[in-house]
Amino acid sequence: MVYRCVFLFLSLNLCHLNTVCCHLSEVELESQSGSKAYAASEPQEPGCGCQTSRRDGVGANVGENTLISENPADKYSKLANEKPETIPERDIRSKLVLLKGGWFLMGTDDPAIPQDGEGPQRRVWLDPFYIEEHEVTNEQFQSFVNQTGFITEAERFGDSFVFEGLLSEEVKSTLSHAVAAAPWWSPVKGANWRHPEGPDSTITQRMKHPVLHVSWADAQAYCVWAQRRLPTEAEWEYACRAGLQDRLYPWGNKLMPRGEHYANLWQGEFPGHNTAEDGYVATSPVMSFPANGFGLYDMVGNAWEWTADWWSTRHTTDDKHNPRGPESGTDRVKKGGSYMCHKSYCYRYRCAARSQNTPDSSASNLGFRCVSDPDV
Ligand SMILES: [Ca+2]
Ligand SMILES: [Ca+2]
């Protein structure tokens, strides 16, 4: 792995290098017998973009708009908070669902991807909280931007990561490099939440789809504006499980009950052939698939969702009350997988599954939803 990263370093700038190496480091293969192997040494095998897309100040458009040292979350939260009465007259925020909390079992003792820290299973207590019933949509994010003048990190950096299978030939022709080992991810100039596949794409016909290309700080800023917050990983997982114990998915253990699709995932062979048997090549309008037992939509699939927690793969088995993850870290936890996930390479559309990105990462398969406390 190290030598491949060094090789890639010679080919790519640092920003892109880190992305590729991280993508390649956690490629999962599953044999037909069901036993699992991890193909970190197989650069031709696909990854799902589950891992870090680090911006190290190289590769981004470094200029007067470049974020410097201050925490963007603080900056943007402050910005958002300086706008009085910013909630619109017509409240476009998502409906909240009250979850009663209590004890639940987080994680799993039968991890499909052990290196992600899916285990061990541990008892967690949560106080009651509200959670948005679906991912934040383009329409909602646009309302936030219209009222605050907020500029996302992808817009400031000037590019964002896009699954190349969605790019037009025109945009492909403008890519400054080819990443032979990971051609499915490309940093595309001008890609951002308004232009998910680059400058020649729009969200006009996708206002009810999840907003994409939002960094952790962007997501945090929206939630603060909405007088809400990002969920902790424990809250997100509790919401995903919907009261079921030791189940893989929000609805149970069978991926397709009665032969029906319950989430927007990838069918076919990644990355070259997406049959879109579930009806969608890329994102779907939120609430296009059945809700889980708590009335929550797209908890797995559609867009990955940021959580508030820092990333760690080590967990205590001690009982925890309202855990908030490590006190510090370099990456934030994201949950639920996306429309790009297939069991053959990214079996992360399970409630216990987890992955991480650097907080300033943004991509064409990563969004979020917010939560709220009962006394707010
Ligand atoms: Ca799909
Ligand atoms: Ca989702």
Side-chain angles (χ1 to χ4, degrees):
M1 189 63 204
V2 170
Y3 74 85
R4 184 146 42 81
C5 289
V6 171
F7 170 77
L8 287 166
F9 178 77
L10 300 175
S11 305
L12 308 170
N13 67 42
L14 189 56
C15 172
H16 305 156
L17 159 73
N18 282 337
T19 301
V20 172
C21 289
C22 291
H23 289 326
L24 291 173
S25 68
E26 306 223 8
V27 174
E28 181 200 11
L29 296 177
E30 184 167 23
S31 70
Q32 291 183 341
S33 66
S35 62
K36 297 173 180 61
Y38 298 93
S41 62
E42 297 295 331
Q44 75 277 18
E45 294 295 340
C48 70
C50 302
Q51 306 309 314
T52 52
S53 304
R54 294 173 190 275
R55 293 186 188 276
D56 293 338
V58 181
N61 287 348
V62 178
E64 60 181 9
N65 286 333
T66 302
L67 299 173
I68 307 177
S69 59
E70 71 270 41
N71 182 344
D74 296 339
K75 180 178 179 180
Y76 293 149
S77 297
K78 184 169 181 287
L79 181 152
N81 283 331
E82 285 174 348
K83 303 285 184 182
E85 305 298 331
T86 54
I87 301 300
E89 290 183 10
R90 183 177 72 86
D91 190 350
I92 52 77
R93 297 176 300 171
S94 297
K95 175 186 166 188
L96 291 168
V97 176
L98 177 61
L99 305 184
K100 66 180 181 181
W103 289 106
F104 85 107
L105 294 175
M106 183 173 177
T108 176
D109 286 330
D110 185 23
I113 310 177
Q115 71 270 32
D116 280 355
E118 295 178 1
Q121 192 175 67
R122 60 268 188 203
R123 278 180 16 119
V124 166
W125 171 273
L126 291 179
D127 292 336
F129 65 100
Y130 289 96
I131 187 166
E132 294 182 342
E133 65 175 348
H134 60 72
E135 298 147 334
V136 173
T137 64
N138 285 318
E139 180 180 53
Q140 293 170 322
F141 199 80
Q142 183 171 68
S143 182
F144 158 60
V145 167
N146 287 346
Q147 292 183 47
T148 63
F150 186 84
I151 300 173
T152 62
E153 291 199 87
E155 290 170 289
R156 290 176 181 266
F157 282 115
D159 63 13
S160 189
F161 288 89
V162 182
F163 173 54
E164 194 165 313
L166 299 176
L167 293 175
S168 67
E169 291 303 320
E170 186 174 349
V171 170
K172 284 182 189 175
S173 70
T174 67
L175 299 179
S176 58
H177 68 273
V179 185
W184 48 91
W185 280 116
S186 293
V188 173
K189 283 187 168 50
N192 57 54
W193 73 275
R194 299 177 196 271
H195 305 289
E197 294 85 40
D200 62 352
S201 64
T202 75
I203 56 172
T204 305
Q205 304 300 319
R206 288 181 272 180
M207 297 310 288
K208 299 291 187 185
H209 288 227
V211 63
L212 306 172
H213 298 292
V214 284
S215 70
W216 186 91
D218 299 336
Q220 172 88 342
Y222 173 93
C223 290
V224 168
W225 168 79
Q227 298 174 7
R228 296 174 182 177
R229 60 179 173 81
L230 282 172
T232 65
E233 181 181 6
E235 288 170 335
W236 192 99
E237 186 166 328
Y238 172 84
C240 182
R241 292 183 178 281
L244 300 177
Q245 188 170 314
D246 285 329
R247 296 294 190 274
L248 294 170
Y249 312 118
W251 55 86
N253 275 336
K254 191 174 180 182
L255 180 61
M256 294 179 60
R258 298 174 298 282
E260 296 179 6
H261 291 283
Y262 273 57
N264 183 4
L265 304 172
W266 180 292
Q267 297 84 42
E269 294 188 10
F270 187 87
H273 185 51
N274 185 349
T275 68
E277 185 185 278
D278 60 15
Y280 301 95
V281 170
T283 56
S284 44
V286 296
M287 307 172 78
S288 295
F289 294 83
N292 71 8
F294 284 167
L296 307 174
Y297 295 85
D298 301 302
M299 291 302 294
V300 297
N302 212 14
W304 277 100
E305 298 174 31
W306 287 111
T307 75
D309 293 13
W310 289 111
W311 170 262
S312 171
T313 56
R314 288 189 292 275
H315 316 291
T316 176
T317 55
D318 295 345
D319 290 355
K320 289 283 188 182
H321 284 71
N322 303 309
R324 298 193 169 276
E327 291 187 359
S328 61
T330 58
D331 292 357
R332 298 283 185 177
V333 178
K334 61 180 182 179
K335 297 281 279 188
S338 79
Y339 66 88
M340 290 176 61
C341 281
H342 183 277
K343 190 172 185 178
S344 65
Y345 69 97
C346 176
Y347 186 29
R348 291 187 172 90
Y349 43 89
R350 295 168 290 111
C351 294
R354 55 204 303 273
S355 191
Q356 88 272 29
N357 273 91
T358 50
D360 58 2
S361 300
S362 61
S364 59
N365 66 347
L366 178 52
F368 68 103
R369 77 179 73 202
C370 312
V371 296
S372 181
D373 296 307
D375 58 350
V376 173

